Amino acid sequence: MPEGDTVWQTARRLHTALAGKVLTRSDLRVPKYATADLTGRTVLDVTPRGKHLLTRVEGGLTLHSHLRMDGTWRVYANGQRWSGGGPAHQIRVILGTADRTAVGYRLPVLELLRTTDEDRAVGHLGPDLLGPDWNPELALANLLADPARPLGEALLDQRNLAGIGNIYKSELCFLLGATPWLPIGALPADRAAKLPAIAKLLLEANRDRPIRNTTSTLTPNSPNQNRTTSPSTPTPGTTHRSTPTPRAPNTRPHTPDLFVYGRTPRPCLRCGTPIRTADQGDGSRERPTYWCPTCQVGPAPGTTPPRKTQHRTTN
């Protein structure tokens, strides 16, 4: 699943290529819109909303797309070979101007709607971490509305706050010193209060980076704890920090870009314990989840069974 910063970068590329230009080619390869023709219309803007993309064209129309797991948009100069996106049969939409062509591959969500009806597609989303509507107080209230829900699931639910995907879920939980299976209501109040700001800092720091990096953005907060210790209680002999702190850009050449995501079974960058992985899902899909069993407290597979949930994560 793409992260909010990836969608933001995609929107920026599409906006740069298309905005203010007249469409000279329009090909929507979805049966419902096979006869729709946008040629002759000017593209007004391309706006990200969480993980959704809204391409607005004159005449009050919006092309709504979502990348989900495998979708991608590519931009080519006219005459350039279309490479890197996939085979031709995976193309779902082509939007061309006099000098650029945008091609959408494997887009599971593609619909043409009136701009005034955009809320039908994105109105369910919570505050957007990279959007003008960002509201940290509302985001936190949404997250804490169901205190028994596992932290990782709550972070992925776009109705709470929009933009976090599986990578940032694992990284945020590490920075908070809590496993993704900890009920969010059990997260100490000081850490919960900082969660929205930490999430926003991570996404903002990475929206302009070609390679996502969290280790040069923040230092983790939790002391060297074991999972039987309360999240709010530091291990004796250690210095407790209640929240992650910003750090200067990392100049060490061999430091990994991420704290835990994708690093099983390599050692934790804080304590050296091997990083673990297990699936975490909402009943509709399972996602690989990474954590350090020493630095992060709370239930995890192989310890206290995670709570069963009836929630489904909403994109």
Side-chain angles (χ1 to χ4, degrees):
M1 176 181 291
E3 311 282 335
D5 53 357
T6 302
V7 177
W8 191 92
Q9 292 172 4
T10 299
R12 182 173 59 178
R13 288 195 300 272
L14 291 172
H15 183 86
T16 299
L18 302 176
K21 300 176 183 178
V22 176
L23 291 174
T24 58
R25 183 177 182 183
S26 165
D27 185 359
L28 277 61
R29 300 183 180 180
V30 177
K32 183 177 180 180
Y33 305 108
T35 60
D37 186 5
L38 300 178
T39 57
R41 298 175 187 258
T42 299
V43 177
L44 303 178
D45 63 78
V46 181
T47 297
R49 182 71 174 86
K51 300 180 187 180
H52 299 250
L53 287 163
L54 302 171
T55 302
R56 300 179 179 123
V57 298
E58 68 174 343
L61 294 176
T62 296
L63 185 66
H64 165 232
S65 60
H66 195 296
L67 305 181
R68 291 265 173 94
M69 296 296 292
D70 300 315
T72 184
W73 278 92
R74 299 292 175 129
V75 176
Y76 305 100
N78 285 358
Q80 179 184 357
R81 182 173 176 268
W82 294 1
S83 61
H89 72 268
Q90 294 181 347
I91 294 174
R92 295 295 175 264
V93 58
I94 302 170
L95 299 176
T97 69
D99 61 347
R100 292 288 186 273
T101 301
V103 184
Y105 293 86
R106 298 177 302 280
L107 300 175
V109 176
L110 187 69
E111 61 175 340
L112 189 63
L113 61 153
R114 294 193 176 279
T115 302
T116 54
D117 293 335
E118 284 179 359
D119 272 358
R120 183 163 58 83
V122 297
H124 66 286
L125 298 175
D128 187 344
L129 282 156
L130 295 178
D133 71 325
W134 172 242
N135 182 329
E137 292 80 14
L138 178 57
L140 182 60
N142 291 344
L143 287 166
L144 296 177
D146 182 357
R149 194 174 190 188
L151 173 61
E153 291 184 20
L155 289 173
L156 283 183
D157 193 330
Q158 303 300 294
R159 296 169 297 186
N160 292 333
L161 70 173
I164 294 176
N166 208 35
I167 296 175
Y168 283 125
K169 177 193 80 171
S170 292
E171 295 293 288
L172 273 167
C173 289
F174 177 77
L175 288 165
L176 292 167
T179 71
W181 293 271
L182 180 77
I184 191 167
L187 192 66
D190 59 339
R191 300 192 194 184
K194 296 293 185 181
L195 190 161
I198 297 168
K200 183 172 179 61
L201 178 60
L202 286 179
L203 267 72
E204 283 193 335
N206 282 285
R207 69 182 183 183
D208 293 315
R209 289 174 176 165
I211 299 176
R212 185 176 291 114
N213 182 291
T214 58
T215 57
S216 67
T217 305
L218 290 170
T219 54
N221 71 354
S222 63
N224 189 1
Q225 302 169 332
N226 57 51
R227 277 201 306 279
T228 61
T229 307
S230 166
S232 59
T233 305
T235 300
T238 66
T239 301
H240 178 63
R241 285 200 302 267
S242 62
T243 58
T245 56
R247 64 189 296 180
N250 193 352
T251 57
R252 292 177 294 173
H254 303 300
T255 301
D257 291 314
L258 303 174
F259 286 109
V260 292
Y261 188 87
R263 298 196 61 246
T264 304
R266 284 166 285 183
C268 171
L269 299 179
R270 273 198 88 259
C271 70
T273 302
I275 298 299
R276 294 184 59 188
T277 185
D279 287 338
Q280 182 180 37
D282 58 5
S284 63
R285 69 196 84 176
E286 300 290 325
R287 297 183 176 95
T289 298
Y290 300 84
W291 79 101
C292 171
T294 298
C295 292
Q296 292 171 254
V297 300
T303 56
T304 303
R307 164 184 173 265
K308 296 293 183 181
T309 178
Q310 298 301 315
H311 294 88
R312 286 180 178 265
T313 300
T314 300
N315 294 315

